[in-house]
Amino acid sequence: MSATENTSATKKQIHLAAHFPGVNNTTVWADPRSRSQIDFSSFEHLARTAERGKFDFFFLAEGLRLREHKGRIHDLDVVGRPESITLLNALAAVTDRLGLAATVNATFNEPYETARRFASLDHLSGGRAAWNVVTSPDAFTGENFRRGGFLDRGDRYTRASEFVATARELWDSWGPDGVPRPFAHHGQQFSIEGKFGVPRSPQGHPVVIQAGDSGEGREFAASAADVIFTRHGTLEAGRAFYADVKGRLAQYGREPDDLKIMPGVTFVLGDTAAEAQEKAAEIRHQQVSPQNAILALEQIWGRDLSAHDPDGPLPAIDPDPDSQLVQGRVKITNALEIAAKWRALSEAKGLSIRQTVIETTGRQSFIGTPDTVAAELDAFVQGGAADGFILVPHLTPGGLDDFVDQVVPRLQERGAFRTEYTGSTLRSHLGLRTPVWKG
């Protein structure tokens, strides 16, 4: 046994996932290396790269309506993308071990069809399917659906909890013996009965991911999820979140390892620390163009600020709390508080609009040499701030290449990351128990 293998036997292992970029304004579409967000080759490139790096899973976000800004399609992030599960079924044919995670909304879908689609993906991929459960507060999005309207925040999670529980009842209606049994679920949100059309899948249940940091989201994750996709900016904040969520598991009869905490993060690599910082600054300036700076400001202020100079000061007027300027994004409920913080920062450091947006809207990033980034990622996991990370590159589709080529080998040398897959299913990659059949 090598020294590295001996170390890895006693060291907490890092989980890694790849988020396909494009559904946010952190993607640098102006870069000449950027490619299509709809051609299959883009998705295949990133997925194959992630599998080459022995990542746990490939992650797709999804929106149910094109976002609008001042009544027009907001085209500074993605405009149009193939439906997630359809795309992952295609990726199942060109990957062998990589987990495949799709975002599907629990507000505007139904349990039977969602359970059937994920069970089908789990069969076609040999046990690699995952469902990122999200909810929607948005009547604007609801206009695309027969029910329309929207659910209050508390009701959204009430529906989502019963939605996931119902899907699991459907998955459990086929036993390991391959015999379908009738199902019947009659609850506050759903009343369905019949026979489920897909046999029990290789993982028993596809992996369930929950995205969210709110109190409701944390409780939902503790009760029902296998992975929580979160964000936090510092080691200290990560430790606090980690301890809070892990501490909620026992009341649901769950162990700490039953839920993996994986924040979404970015990274920038350089041959030296100075080069990495210079590249990071350049990327942030590309992400926050003058036009994007004003749009980001308008999303907080809820006002048309197109007459303001992005290199000038923040507006003197306050945000409009009742604005409908932006549609399709999560509504900002504390705009006045955010504006006050931005003004204090801008005045203290003498920052322009664009500089303020650059400084306040960046996701937690690991910036440095490959050795430094590997050490910092390892420190987060060994220090109880995360179980792993969902990497959000700024380039489509080659943004993960350098990480896999330069950082992954260093994580492996540290004994903190696998050198080969040891199982075939996503549950095995994540170290999750196979669900006990409850038929």
Side-chain angles (χ1 to χ4, degrees):
M1 179 180 289
S2 70
T4 298
E5 291 171 333
N6 186 51
T7 302
S8 64
T10 58
K11 193 170 193 178
K12 186 176 178 181
Q13 296 295 287
I14 296 172
H15 296 286
L16 292 176
H19 185 287
F20 188 89
V23 294
N24 50 59
N25 58 9
T26 59
T27 307
V28 181
W29 294 111
D31 192 296
R33 295 169 294 176
S34 184
R35 296 291 182 265
S36 172
Q37 80 280 4
I38 198 165
D39 287 349
F40 181 70
S41 60
S42 291
F43 298 94
E44 182 179 11
H45 180 106
L46 191 72
R48 286 185 182 274
T49 302
E51 187 164 76
R52 179 165 59 85
K54 316 302 179 189
F55 278 39
D56 293 67
F57 60 90
F58 173 93
F59 181 86
L60 281 175
E62 182 167 75
L64 296 180
R65 181 165 178 174
L66 296 178
R67 296 184 284 199
E68 294 184 7
H69 192 100
K70 293 190 286 192
R72 297 186 300 176
I73 299 298
H74 180 62
D75 61 358
L76 292 184
D77 56 21
V78 73
V79 177
R81 174 180 284 180
E83 189 275 328
S84 294
I85 295 185
T86 302
L87 181 55
L88 293 183
N89 280 322
L91 287 175
V94 297
T95 56
D96 296 314
R97 299 293 185 90
L98 184 69
L100 302 168
T103 300
V104 172
N105 193 296
T107 303
F108 297 115
N109 285 287
E110 297 296 327
Y112 185 94
E113 183 61 16
T114 300
R116 186 169 73 117
R117 292 164 71 202
F118 276 105
S120 299
L121 175 60
D122 210 45
H123 276 288
L124 293 174
S125 64
R128 297 185 280 137
W131 170 22
N132 178 42
V133 183
V134 297
T135 63
S136 175
D138 189 2
F140 174 78
T141 299
E143 290 175 359
N144 274 354
F145 296 86
R146 178 176 57 83
R147 278 197 315 278
F150 66 99
L151 296 176
D152 289 333
R153 188 175 193 88
D155 293 337
R156 288 190 293 134
Y157 282 106
T158 298
R159 179 182 168 88
S161 293
E162 188 175 331
F163 196 120
V164 173
T166 305
R168 285 175 167 152
E169 290 177 32
L170 294 170
W171 293 328
D172 273 338
S173 67
W174 281 73
D177 56 5
V179 177
R181 291 159 175 80
F183 68 83
H185 176 95
H186 300 287
Q188 290 184 337
Q189 302 293 322
F190 309 104
S191 183
I192 58 175
E193 56 185 78
K195 287 189 177 181
F196 190 53
V198 184
R200 190 169 178 83
S201 66
Q203 293 186 105
H205 299 169
V207 169
V208 172
I209 304 170
Q210 152 68 9
D213 289 340
S214 68
E216 299 99 324
R218 296 181 192 205
E219 202 65 31
F220 177 45
S223 67
D226 301 304
V227 177
I228 183 167
F229 176 28
T230 178
R231 63 173 67 198
H232 47 68
T234 65
L235 183 64
E236 292 74 19
R239 283 174 172 161
F241 181 88
Y242 191 93
D244 176 68
V245 175
K246 295 280 186 173
R248 298 173 187 242
L249 293 169
Q251 65 182 311
Y252 298 104
R254 307 181 71 196
E255 299 293 329
D257 283 344
D258 290 340
L259 176 65
K260 306 302 180 184
I261 297 177
M262 300 180 68
V265 300
T266 61
F267 62 91
V268 181
L269 304 176
D271 292 335
T272 66
E275 179 186 327
Q277 289 292 342
E278 183 177 342
K279 287 173 65 176
E282 180 182 351
I283 290 168
R284 287 300 291 142
H285 274 83
Q286 289 177 310
Q287 291 169 329
V288 184
S289 65
Q291 184 184 7
N292 241 338
I294 295 298
L295 288 174
L297 197 70
E298 290 177 337
Q299 288 165 14
I300 303 297
W301 259 256
R303 299 179 184 276
D304 184 344
L305 301 174
S306 56
H308 284 68
D309 181 358
D311 294 320
L314 293 176
I317 56 175
D318 286 333
D320 175 4
D322 300 318
S323 173
Q324 298 296 315
L325 190 78
V326 178
Q327 297 278 17
R329 292 182 179 272
V330 175
K331 185 174 178 59
I332 297 171
T333 57
N334 58 338
L336 289 170
E337 178 184 338
I338 294 173
K341 289 180 179 179
W342 283 24
R343 284 197 181 107
L345 177 67
S346 176
E347 291 170 4
K349 295 189 175 183
L351 302 179
S352 67
I353 290 173
R354 187 181 183 194
Q355 291 168 331
T356 302
V357 173
I358 287 173
E359 187 149 338
T360 56
T361 61
R363 186 188 295 270
Q364 160 69 33
S365 291
F366 292 90
I367 302 169
T369 66
D371 283 320
T372 299
V373 169
E376 290 180 350
L377 293 170
D378 194 19
F380 261 67
V381 171
Q382 308 310 325
D387 292 309
F389 306 91
I390 297 177
L391 301 180
V392 186
H394 68 277
L395 281 180
T396 305
L400 201 63
D401 296 6
D402 288 345
F403 186 95
V404 166
D405 293 336
Q406 300 178 40
V407 179
V408 166
R410 287 163 170 84
L411 292 174
Q412 292 167 335
E413 290 167 5
R414 299 176 72 88
F417 190 66
R418 66 173 67 90
T419 56
E420 293 294 340
Y421 290 110
T422 56
S424 59
T425 69
L426 178 53
R427 287 189 175 275
S428 66
H429 302 343
L430 291 167
L432 296 170
R433 293 181 288 185
T434 300
V436 176
W437 182 54
K438 298 179 182 178

